[in-house]
Amino acid sequence: MNFTRHFFLWLFVLLPFCSLSQNGSYTLSSDSLVNFHASNRRIYTAVRTHNRPKTDGRLNDECWLTEGEWQGNFIQQTPEQGTAPSQPTEMKILYDDDHLYIALRCYDSEPEKISPILGRRDDFTSGDVVGVALDSYHDKQTAFEFNVTAAGQKIDLIHLGAYELDTNWDAVWEGKAFVGDSAWTAEIKIPFSQLRFSDEREQVWGLHVWRWIDRLDEESQWKLIPIDAPASVYIFGELHGIRDIPAKRHFEMMPYGAFRFIKNGGKSERFGLGLDGKAALSSSFTLDYTFLPDFGQVEADPSELNLSAYEVFYDEKRPFFLEGNAILDYSAGNDMLFYSRRIGHTPSYIPPKEGEFYWRIPSGTSILNALKVTGKNKKGFSLGIINSMTEREFATLKQDQETEKRAVEPFTNYFISRARQDLNGGNTLIGIMATSVLRSTRDDHLRFLPDKATVGGVDLIQYWAGRKYFLDAKSFFSHITGTTEAISKLQYSSQHFYQRQDADHIDPDPAATVMSGWGGQLRGGKQSGKFRATGTMSWRSPGVDLNDAGYLRDADLITLRADLRYQVNNPAGIMLNYYINYSQRHDWTFGRENINNNMSLHGFMKFRNLWNIHLDLVRNSGKIDTRQLRGGPALKTDPYSIAEVFVQTNSAYKLFAGAGVDRKWSDGGVGGAIDYTLYLQWKISNRFSITSHSNLENLIDNNQYITRKTSDTGTKYIVGKIDRKTLYTTLRAEFFVSPELSFQFYGSPYASTGKFRELYKVADSYARIPGNRYSGLAILEEMRGRYVIDENQDGSPDFMLENPDFDFGEFRSNLVLRWEYLAGSTVYLVWSHNRTRYEDGYNPSITDSFGKIGKIKGENGFMLKLSYWFSL
């Protein structure tokens, strides 16, 4: 604690005195040659052409042979930073009224070793790559990047500043590659309509051109961006010569039709029409829209059997919400003001079973429409807005030839807004964010949902000394209104647990119709150079809640964290680079309860043969878990230590492997875990690859919550010592006929089985010794899946308990044919298959449980989706 306190004291005392102006020179590296190349102002002047080239990657058009200037003299960034690259690269840039044309020639003295591997769009692991980034705003913060692999696959993204990248942005452009006998070449054609720039007659843009040689793990750049620079765009070179470009006001539309067939006992057929598109509101801002969207081609979420009190976080996979979503990012640690998975989530209400009949509940809430405005202007003003409406959803019950419907989710409107202004040459950023969720809860049984949830935030980022030092400050508040039932449910939820009887600083209010709170984060330090240090202080008041439109894991939390890092990027001996990271964290509640103290040490080494190794050591001095007993008193858990090692081979090999083991020991031997991980990738050919990621965990936890029993004598909290085994695999197989036509399979079998070796009643939840913390429970007999429990060890029955042992298996998969038959226009043919099994009882063999997944009756779904992109 003294270390953390002194760290923050020196951090906030010294930062104001570190302010230095940027004069265009780079001085952050200890290598003078690196500083020289990074400070060198490189300019490329594009030439207007009247001979439009054919985009085929061959570079044999007249304009490439006779117009413009080939320019090279690239500098190596990694592994030998500041030196000449092992292979030369040249570029040429031309333009006309509608397009920017970029030619790239990548020489190779060993052409047979060029790596033209076909992969998914935006996959940087697909062999050799070359590309260009354009800071068309010339704000030294943001840029549009267009890359092409040696196999001709496209990679595009947006730079958002300080190495924040949005790889979900997919523009409509052309890129081709051709592998010759002494070089491979790439040709890129970018419509000006896909960029955002000012209406000035003559443009000056930031320019970055780079090349990746996969077998050598080598990156070279036209203008060097040092590997330890705190950001990249502000070090770009410049592109001159583009002038008299007609104003671009484009309007894109992508109508689609989709047919879906699902078979699961019965049959379900559905045909749908929808529309996606974009419209340029100005040269800087774009409106994206979708009506009746269909996301049937989206990959399924991974399986997980969650035994904790916390909500499982799933990554967003829907294209509309992914693209441009980075502008709407307002994250503080793991919490965020906007979590797009809230839009279209699983219905909130589950009707009770009616006799022998079950309600048929939609898997998600239908999205009627969504509008999104994003962009950034020449003056550094960024804007992101989303408004989406979701339909009132119904569950259906069929019995005795009659069908009954019951609402399970109200009509809801989501509004998300984010604005940020860059000042002082991008060294100061000020932003605000606001979200609003409005529900039409006209059904009495849905009044447990809040009527209105409003969240707002203000943030500031300040850089000093060429962005070597920084301070990032965020604050936010929430205000939620609803019925007394809705607010009481919120107070009793796992994020809050106001009902904790041992928490004097919080109390539930059954009459409340409003719940409010606030939170924030202060983070700052030194972010470049060999030695780096950052400190973080974050807080969440007991009443703050972000979960209507965002994600909040814990309220009532104060955290202090310090991170120290020593990083060396210069090759020495057998090592290319390495770093060591030390972290220390302490958590408290707003009632000043010290609930967590954690220290960790992480080391990474990459060797000259391009193998690497990760090493981790963790020491936790024990937690006071305020969530484990689900609203009961805080529970003391045992201190533990963790050691982990993970080794990876050279990723450029046809067969690439990574394997690791993670071992956890609880003090006193009362629990622990061992976790094995195996990652394999087999590049069978340049068109066909198979990838698997497997994990086996054996866990013994002495503090696993089971249930609580309430009687006249009070509430008993029942926990147990669980022996749990989990095995899962994620398998991908991808075959590419061309960059535009592919077959992709995703499958994820998951099995988890658990047995409670001991059952306990919590006696003294704060006791450090497990024998004082718990008193044992005896099982007198088992009756139809229920235990008869002897609480007092006197041979007489005291209460009944459901057998908590389990055997769970699930398989989720899809097979997708994707064909981009025209730029921006696609056909999807999808087969999805899912099967799930949950049984009471324990299976001692996890491999047997895993194998039984194949005997589960599954659900099959088929979908055909056709979209057509055009621009006006």
Side-chain angles (χ1 to χ4, degrees):
M1 180 59 194
N2 288 335
F3 168 80
T4 307
R5 184 184 297 116
H6 284 99
F7 178 79
F8 274 97
L9 177 62
W10 282 108
L11 173 67
F12 292 109
V13 167
L14 292 176
L15 274 178
F17 297 98
C18 298
S19 178
L20 295 174
S21 63
Q22 281 184 254
N23 57 12
S25 62
Y26 187 87
T27 59
L28 302 183
S29 175
S30 58
D31 188 327
S32 60
L33 187 60
V34 170
N35 288 332
F36 169 78
H37 287 298
S39 301
N40 183 26
R41 186 186 180 206
R42 294 206 73 178
I43 297 173
Y44 186 90
T45 302
V47 172
R48 180 182 285 273
T49 181
H50 299 285
N51 300 305
R52 179 173 294 185
K54 178 183 178 181
T55 309
D56 57 10
R58 294 178 178 269
L59 307 187
N60 54 7
D61 305 272
E62 180 182 352
C63 61
W64 298 130
L65 299 175
T66 62
E67 301 177 32
E69 174 195 5
W70 287 103
Q71 196 172 111
N73 296 323
F74 280 49
I75 302 298
Q76 191 174 158
Q77 188 211 43
T78 180
E80 302 282 353
Q81 185 171 213
T83 64
S86 64
Q87 308 292 338
T89 306
E90 293 180 344
M91 68 168 184
K92 180 183 284 191
I93 301 176
L94 306 173
Y95 73 97
D96 58 22
D97 281 352
D98 300 310
H99 299 90
L100 190 71
Y101 305 99
I102 303 169
L104 298 148
R105 184 174 286 129
C106 305
Y107 294 97
D108 202 310
S109 58
E110 298 178 287
E112 70 280 1
K113 294 184 179 179
I114 294 172
S115 183
I117 299 173
L118 278 166
R120 284 172 290 166
R121 180 167 180 166
D122 297 334
D123 183 2
F124 277 98
T125 64
S126 298
D128 293 354
V129 186
V130 69
V132 58
L134 302 166
D135 176 11
S136 54
Y137 295 114
H138 207 215
D139 61 1
K140 301 186 183 297
Q141 289 287 320
T142 56
F144 302 92
E145 184 168 321
F146 304 86
N147 310 300
V148 179
T149 72
Q153 187 54 276
K154 295 187 290 188
I155 303 171
D156 48 8
L157 56 94
I158 297 179
H159 292 252
L160 299 168
Y163 295 108
E164 296 179 15
L165 306 175
D166 180 6
T167 58
N168 299 305
W169 176 73
D170 286 334
V172 180
W173 57 286
E174 296 181 41
K176 299 290 183 180
F178 174 76
V179 179
D181 56 3
S182 62
W184 70 276
T185 54
E187 198 167 6
I188 296 173
K189 176 183 176 182
I190 305 170
F192 285 121
S193 64
Q194 300 297 302
L195 303 174
R196 301 293 172 265
F197 49 88
S198 69
D199 56 3
E200 296 173 356
R201 181 185 177 190
E202 183 168 355
Q203 301 289 320
V204 175
W205 296 353
L207 175 65
H208 174 59
V209 186
W210 69 287
R211 176 188 178 184
W212 175 260
I213 304 175
D214 194 44
R215 71 181 185 272
L216 303 176
D217 210 46
E218 177 184 312
E219 179 172 337
S220 58
Q221 301 171 343
W222 173 70
K223 162 70 186 300
L224 179 65
I225 298 174
I227 197 169
D228 59 351
S232 61
V233 181
Y234 81 104
I235 312 177
F236 279 13
E238 292 183 356
L239 176 62
H240 292 195
I242 299 175
R243 65 182 66 196
D244 300 323
I245 300 299
K248 304 299 176 184
R249 298 290 186 267
H250 71 291
F251 186 81
E252 300 176 12
M253 299 182 69
M254 189 167 64
Y256 72 82
F259 174 76
R260 187 188 307 275
F261 173 81
I262 298 175
K263 183 177 180 181
N264 182 16
K267 296 180 181 179
S268 173
E269 299 178 3
R270 188 176 69 185
F271 178 77
L273 296 172
L275 176 67
D276 299 335
K278 296 176 183 288
L281 302 179
S282 69
S283 61
S284 302
F285 298 99
T286 300
L287 169 68
D288 292 78
Y289 55 89
T290 181
F291 297 98
L292 303 175
D294 183 280
F295 301 113
Q297 79 279 10
V298 172
E299 188 176 282
D301 291 317
S303 301
E304 182 169 350
L305 180 61
N306 182 21
L307 300 184
S308 75
Y310 299 100
E311 175 190 6
V312 176
F313 182 91
Y314 290 112
D315 292 329
E316 180 60 87
K317 299 179 180 181
R318 298 168 296 178
F320 178 85
F321 294 105
L322 282 171
E323 185 175 334
N325 192 34
I327 297 176
L328 294 160
D329 176 58
Y330 194 107
S331 301
N334 293 322
D335 301 329
M336 55 184 64
L337 270 60
F338 177 46
Y339 176 36
S340 56
R341 290 294 293 259
R342 300 297 183 205
I343 302 176
H345 63 80
T346 303
S348 305
Y349 176 70
I350 301 177
K353 181 182 176 183
E354 298 281 349
E356 298 299 320
F357 299 92
Y358 291 90
W359 290 86
R360 187 179 181 89
I361 303 173
S363 59
T365 307
S366 299
I367 301 173
L368 297 174
N369 61 64
L371 304 175
K372 177 170 61 177
V373 176
T374 57
K376 184 175 184 179
N377 67 18
K378 179 71 173 179
K379 297 181 180 179
F381 176 71
S382 303
L383 180 68
I385 296 175
I386 285 181
N387 194 85
S388 181
M389 298 179 184
T390 58
E391 192 171 10
R392 186 182 180 214
E393 289 288 351
F394 293 88
T396 57
L397 178 69
K398 291 185 178 181
Q399 56 178 333
D400 300 328
Q401 306 301 318
E402 294 184 1
T403 300
E404 180 183 352
K405 287 189 175 184
R406 185 175 299 178
V408 291
E409 185 70 27
F411 174 84
T412 306
N413 188 85
Y414 297 86
F415 177 77
I416 318 295
S417 62
R418 174 84 160 119
R420 192 163 74 174
Q421 179 66 56
D422 299 355
L423 302 169
N424 188 25
N427 288 313
T428 304
L429 296 88
I430 300 174
I432 59 174
M433 186 161 187
T435 71
S436 173
V437 178
L438 300 175
R439 297 185 178 91
S440 177
T441 52
R442 60 188 182 185
D443 302 283
D444 289 341
H445 62 278
L446 297 181
R447 299 302 296 271
F448 69 91
L449 295 170
D451 299 320
K452 182 178 181 180
T454 304
V455 174
V458 178
D459 64 318
L460 166 71
I461 301 178
Q462 178 65 55
Y463 298 105
W464 291 275
R467 308 195 186 193
K468 187 175 186 178
Y469 302 95
F470 77 100
L471 175 65
D472 185 353
K474 290 185 172 73
S475 65
F476 51 86
F477 73 91
S478 65
H479 183 79
I480 301 171
T481 61
T483 63
T484 55
E485 179 187 4
I487 300 305
S488 291
K489 184 177 184 296
L490 195 58
Q491 292 175 354
Y492 279 68
S493 67
S494 62
Q495 288 81 15
H496 303 281
F497 286 142
Y498 271 31
Q499 65 270 38
R500 274 185 57 210
Q501 66 264 34
D502 58 340
D504 297 333
H505 61 291
I506 48 175
D507 289 299
D509 181 0
T513 57
V514 174
M515 185 172 177
S516 300
W518 76 300
Q521 176 177 285
L522 287 174
R523 183 170 177 267
K526 180 176 180 284
Q527 61 178 351
S528 68
K530 287 186 177 181
F531 176 75
R532 309 178 187 191
T534 59
T536 305
M537 178 175 67
S538 64
W539 62 96
R540 314 284 185 268
S541 75
V544 70
D545 194 280
L546 310 176
N547 286 315
D548 289 275
Y551 180 87
L552 175 74
R553 189 173 189 269
D554 278 316
D556 190 21
L557 181 67
I558 300 171
T559 296
L560 289 181
R561 175 171 176 155
D563 291 276
L564 305 177
R565 183 183 183 101
Y566 183 74
Q567 179 169 326
V568 176
N569 298 311
N570 298 323
I574 63 172
M575 285 192 293
L576 283 180
N577 54 68
Y578 66 90
Y579 67 82
I580 300 172
N581 196 89
Y582 171 79
S583 299
Q584 183 172 328
R585 172 174 172 164
H586 306 278
D587 297 339
W588 294 266
T589 68
F590 269 58
R592 300 184 180 181
E593 303 164 285
N594 183 202
I595 58 176
N596 185 37
N597 298 290
N598 193 85
M599 296 181 294
S600 64
L601 186 67
H602 175 72
F604 169 81
M605 292 173 284
K606 176 177 278 191
F607 303 96
R608 286 191 180 271
N609 63 0
L610 303 186
W611 287 46
N612 63 59
I613 184 171
H614 293 263
L615 300 170
D616 283 281
L617 295 173
V618 176
R619 176 60 184 171
N620 187 287
S621 57
K623 292 184 178 181
I624 303 295
D625 197 328
T626 60
R627 302 291 187 262
Q628 182 74 335
L629 297 184
R630 310 311 197 259
L635 181 68
K636 174 70 177 178
T637 61
D638 305 294
Y640 63 83
S641 301
I642 296 176
E644 179 183 11
V645 58
F646 189 84
V647 179
Q648 288 180 254
T649 65
N650 186 341
S651 62
Y653 290 168
K654 291 291 185 182
L655 182 62
F656 164 56
V661 60
D662 184 321
R663 186 74 167 90
K664 177 181 178 180
W665 300 268
S666 294
D667 288 10
V670 296
I674 187 165
D675 195 310
Y676 301 97
T677 299
L678 177 63
Y679 179 89
L680 293 172
Q681 184 180 57
W682 183 19
K683 301 171 186 174
I684 299 174
S685 71
N686 289 338
R687 298 178 182 272
F688 184 32
S689 67
I690 297 176
T691 304
S692 71
H693 182 194
S694 303
N695 184 270
L696 172 63
E697 181 186 51
N698 292 323
L699 168 72
I700 296 178
D701 184 356
N702 197 50
N703 309 289
Q704 179 60 55
Y705 175 79
I706 299 175
T707 190
R708 63 172 177 263
K709 294 289 182 179
T710 303
S711 64
D712 295 339
T713 59
T715 301
K716 306 177 184 67
Y717 295 94
I718 312 301
V719 301
K721 184 174 186 177
I722 188 174
D723 181 352
R724 181 181 181 184
K725 298 178 177 65
T726 302
L727 174 63
Y728 68 85
T729 296
T730 298
L731 178 67
R732 298 179 189 274
E734 299 175 321
F735 177 73
F736 289 83
V737 179
S738 69
E740 295 78 26
L741 178 60
S742 65
F743 297 85
Q744 301 178 37
F745 172 78
Y746 165 86
S748 180
Y750 175 99
S752 186
T753 181
K755 182 174 182 58
F756 284 83
R757 303 293 183 184
E758 304 285 346
L759 301 178
Y760 311 120
K761 178 184 72 173
V762 177
D764 180 0
S765 66
Y766 284 88
R768 297 182 63 87
I769 301 174
N772 297 332
R773 191 185 313 148
Y774 305 126
S775 61
L777 300 175
I779 301 174
L780 296 181
E781 61 177 313
E782 183 176 2
M783 300 174 56
R784 295 187 297 274
R786 305 181 73 193
Y787 290 148
V788 179
I789 300 296
D790 175 11
E791 177 184 350
N792 300 310
Q793 309 286 328
D794 57 5
S796 61
D798 292 299
F799 60 88
M800 303 288 288
L801 181 68
E802 296 286 343
N803 181 355
D805 298 346
F806 59 86
D807 185 13
F808 175 77
E810 187 168 62
F811 178 69
R812 297 179 178 181
S813 69
N814 59 20
L815 176 64
V816 180
L817 181 153
R818 180 186 183 275
W819 178 31
E820 188 175 359
Y821 61 95
L822 293 173
S825 302
T826 54
V827 173
Y828 289 97
L829 180 61
V830 182
W831 168 50
S832 62
H833 179 82
N834 300 295
R835 52 181 68 189
T836 302
R837 166 184 57 85
Y838 185 94
E839 298 175 357
D840 295 329
Y842 172 66
N843 190 336
S845 171
I846 186 60
T847 55
D848 179 63
S849 178
F850 194 81
K852 288 166 64 176
I853 295 174
K855 301 177 182 179
I856 306 170
K857 184 178 180 180
E859 174 186 279
N860 291 288
F862 300 90
M863 189 200 76
L864 174 64
K865 180 178 179 180
L866 171 66
S867 64
Y868 177 73
W869 177 91
F870 63 94
S871 177
L872 301 178

